[in-house]
Amino acid sequence: MSDPKIEVREVTKIFGKNPQLAMKLLNEGKSKKEILKETGMTVGVNKASFKVREGEIFVIMGLSGSGKSTLVRMLNRLIEPDAGQVLIDGQDIVKMNPAQLREVRRTKIGMVFQRFALFPHRTVLSNTEYGLEIQGADKKEQREKAMRALRLVGLEGYENSYPEELSGGMQQRVGLARALANDPDVLLMDEAFSALDPLIRKDMQNELLTLQEKMEKTIIFITHDLDEALRLGDRIALMKDGSIVQIGTPEEILINPANQYVERFVEDVDVSKVLTAGHIMKKPERIVYDRGPRVALKIMKNAGISSVYIVDHRQRLMGAVTAQAASEAIQSGKSLAEVMVRNIQTVTPDTLISDIIEMVAQAELPVAVVDGENRLEGILVRGAVLAALAGGDLQVNGSGVKHHVYPENSVS
Amino acid sequence: MYIPKIPLADWIDSGVDFLVVKFGLFFDFISFCLSWFVDLFVLALGAVHPLLLIAAIALIAYALSSWKAALFTAAGLLLIYNLGYWTGMIDTLALVLTSVVISIIVGVPVGIWMSQSDGAQRVITPVLDFMQTMPAFVYLIPAILFFGIGLVPGIISSVIFAMPPTIRLTNLGIRQVPEDLVEAADAFGSTEMQKLFKVQLPLAMPTIMAGINQSIMLSLSMVVTASLVGAPGIGADVYRAVTQVKVGLGFEAGLAIVILAIILDRLSQNIGLKRKKRSA
């Protein structure tokens, strides 16, 4: 596997008069609470470690005061860490001198802010050009790159407006364009959509995902909203009281909460928007089409089911046959292929449950889950879908969960 | 128990003597430059016919503000001309504007320095308090020793009294720039200078202009005090009216100062406002 784009090792921030003392206590194993009581100092971020792969959207999630905004600001040293390393492409940001740091900020890291942080005295275009302008880039090149970024976020035609003339959603597009203009590898997005109203917010989330398909930036996204985290994140790090409590894919966090805190956090999640057909499908009984109807009937009897799926020799789904049709075929001497139902409803394993509820409810036969080449992977029975929606005791199988390798990060 | 009086006055005296002896040439040089600047100003404005000048200033008022302000400016200046305070007004204007220019040249950089360094702020703030609360007459005395009688000590004491608002509000304006805008400037890799000139100063400009406006008003309020050490202008007329108990003359001169104050206030306020409107 290739090296991570960003690697954060035991980064710590203490707010108070004597960070060294607090660091010492922290290393002795004292908790945030004990340190606050003994010294009056606040542990902002407590030895956070994680790795982010190139092209990944890595969401850091936590409630206010959990240290997530502090953590993201230490990645470009808007806040100086008191200990730890931040490696971007293997280079330690923390050790850099001001000139090196400036260079990294100019070329490698773009940032988008919660309250947009647009310069009110500059036009949209001139805001977008800011990052290029301070690098002393050629004026024409500045304009071209800034216009390209504005086109990317759909703001063509607004370049001569001032930020205050735009709506919140549009302002944040300017913020995004400004961060994208000098084409950084890494985007830091600090609660970037939190100030927007819910509908605009959803639009922006979708747009970010669409943009990300084209750009493939490495994005660190901070949010306090679990739905947003689940929607955007390839992986999510959950923070509490300055520490990272769990890192994993959205599915891993929902299915295996590392502790009670995470469990409480995720209990209100609308699972139908996270879990997919792959998570809840059952292993289907199947029969190859050239077998006889008697065999089909026997399979159904043994399994205690009323229908069975018919596949070809390469496991591709052809249709299904019910017990009634099979016994009629036996009496009339027909083959399975002649009596099978052909128009079976199918979905792919990555379809969200929210999108298949209706289909499952109306289908006479269980909905089949097939892969891209129409090979039968599983079936969706109503009971499993209902169980998943009811949450609680999830009957989830591991097969459609994307497994990411960074085992040391799964809990920290 | 006998506690001897601390000889503070003696210390100050010997300190001032020392400065006068050691830096006499330096003070003479400053004196020369300031006189030259004010003379030039007076000469230039004096060369234009008063009516022409009144029309020009009214036009500026119109451009910066409204036709109402222009009308008031024209009427007010015509009244001053009619009452016979025109030359005095030019002298006063020269004194005020010179003080303000010095206040800006010195005050804005000091304000910037204060905004960038908490240490500087801690040291300079009490100095500013001292400058503003010490009765103005008190620093007229050493000013005479350093610069002699006349216009220059008047300007110097005006500057001391009038500069603090420019410094304070420059500092305040820069410190009030929203934290996230400063963060944004940093996050994109601005140097300190780029951050200052491209983000902080433009955003602080309305506040800085308010400070400069205050400086203009304060230095105008010093013109009578300055006339005590021989600075020419309407202030001298007020002073003369006071010493001779001439109520009518005193009122005329006072009115002229008020009119000048209102005109300068409206003009300088609107420089700030117009900038803000254009940039917002």
Side-chain angles (χ1 to χ4, degrees), chain A residues 73 106 121 130 133-134, chain B residues 181 183 188-190 194 198:
Chain A
R73 278 171 174 67
R106 286 178 173 187
H121 59 297
Y130 185 82
E133 182 184 316
I134 57 174
Chain B
L181 294 186
E183 274 193 332
F188 287 101
S190 313
Q194 287 171 332
K198 287 178 189 290

Side-chain angles (χ1 to χ4, degrees), chain A residues 12-310:
Chain A
T12 303
K13 179 69 194 177
I14 311 283
F15 295 110
K17 291 212 163 120
N18 188 354
Q20 294 311 317
L21 173 70
M23 274 312 297
K24 207 175 127 233
L25 294 175
L26 210 56
N27 286 331
E28 285 166 10
K30 299 238 162 127
S31 73
K32 175 178 168 142
K33 248 187 208 142
E34 289 169 324
I35 292 176
L36 181 65
K37 210 170 170 193
E38 278 177 40
T39 67
M41 285 184 274
T42 307
V43 180
V45 173
N46 182 2
K47 298 187 180 175
S49 299
F50 58 86
K51 295 176 186 174
V52 184
R53 275 187 304 277
E54 179 137 29
E56 184 177 33
I57 300 185
F58 187 84
V59 175
I60 300 174
M61 200 198 72
L63 300 176
S64 61
S66 62
K68 56 193 191 303
S69 282
T70 307
L71 178 56
V72 76
R73 278 171 174 67
M74 288 196 284
L75 301 187
N76 62 356
R77 270 176 64 190
L78 286 180
I79 292 177
E80 291 287 338
D82 289 310
Q85 293 171 295
V86 177
L87 303 170
I88 297 186
D89 292 328
Q91 286 178 298
D92 190 355
I93 302 284
V94 182
K95 289 209 182 72
M96 287 182 175
N97 65 34
Q100 290 169 318
L101 177 64
R102 211 154 44 227
E103 195 53 32
V104 169
R105 286 172 172 179
R106 286 178 173 187
T107 55
K108 272 198 182 161
I109 309 178
M111 192 159 180
V112 183
F113 295 84
Q114 176 171 12
R115 306 234 49 115
F116 321 138
L118 300 177
F119 303 125
H121 59 297
R122 290 170 153 249
T123 62
V124 165
L125 180 64
S126 148
N127 260 289
T128 313
E129 284 175 342
Y130 185 82
L132 299 156
E133 182 184 316
I134 57 174
Q135 293 180 41
D138 170 54
K139 193 78 199 156
K140 206 174 139 223
E141 189 193 332
Q142 274 180 36
R143 189 128 303 179
E144 271 169 25
K145 284 188 176 171
M147 284 307 295
R148 199 181 312 149
L150 284 173
R151 266 196 296 277
L152 206 59
V153 299
L155 276 184
E156 219 175 354
Y158 289 95
E159 54 269 14
N160 293 320
S161 308
Y162 282 92
E164 64 166 17
E165 297 163 10
L166 304 181
S167 68
M170 285 161 87
Q171 288 191 35
Q172 194 55 302
R173 281 165 204 262
V174 180
L176 192 56
R178 181 176 62 179
L180 291 175
N182 48 358
D183 199 26
D185 304 344
V186 177
L187 266 187
L188 304 179
M189 305 187 70
D190 178 27
E191 299 249 14
F193 303 149
S194 298
L196 305 175
D197 65 59
L199 281 178
I200 306 287
R201 193 166 177 183
K202 204 154 251 181
D203 284 347
M204 290 296 284
Q205 289 166 354
N206 288 335
E207 200 148 328
L208 180 67
L209 290 173
T210 318
L211 276 175
Q212 173 65 355
E213 271 174 30
K214 288 186 237 170
M215 308 183 302
E216 300 198 339
K217 305 280 181 205
T218 306
I219 300 177
I220 312 260
F221 194 102
I222 307 295
T223 182
H224 63 262
D225 175 359
L226 185 61
D227 281 334
E228 186 166 70
L230 295 171
R231 226 166 190 309
L232 295 177
D234 291 318
R235 284 186 308 139
I236 299 171
L238 253 147
M239 283 190 82
K240 187 199 176 206
D241 293 340
S243 303
I244 293 182
V245 192
Q246 185 174 9
I247 297 180
T249 62
E251 295 91 337
E252 281 164 5
I253 285 184
L254 282 182
I255 296 162
N256 296 314
N259 57 29
Q260 276 196 324
Y261 176 76
V262 183
E263 209 167 287
R264 277 225 315 281
F265 219 110
V266 301
E267 71 188 3
D268 292 331
V269 177
D270 184 354
V271 286
S272 72
K273 295 206 167 95
V274 181
L275 293 181
T276 62
H279 289 120
I280 56 162
M281 64 188 182
K282 296 273 177 275
K283 209 172 153 57
E285 295 300 334
R286 61 187 82 192
I287 179 169
V288 178
Y289 70 97
D290 50 11
R291 300 294 173 84
R294 281 170 213 282
V295 186
L297 206 54
K298 186 160 173 55
I299 288 174
M300 284 184 253
K301 260 184 193 156
N302 288 349
I305 52 179
S306 60
S307 61
V308 69
Y309 286 84
I310 300 170

Side-chain angles (χ1 to χ4, degrees), chain B residues 202 205-206 209 269-280:
Chain B
M205 203 39 95
M209 285 310 298
Q269 248 180 23
N270 281 310
I271 293 174
L273 278 183
K274 284 261 161 159
R275 283 190 86 109
K276 198 177 169 189
K277 255 191 196 150
R278 223 182 302 137
S279 63

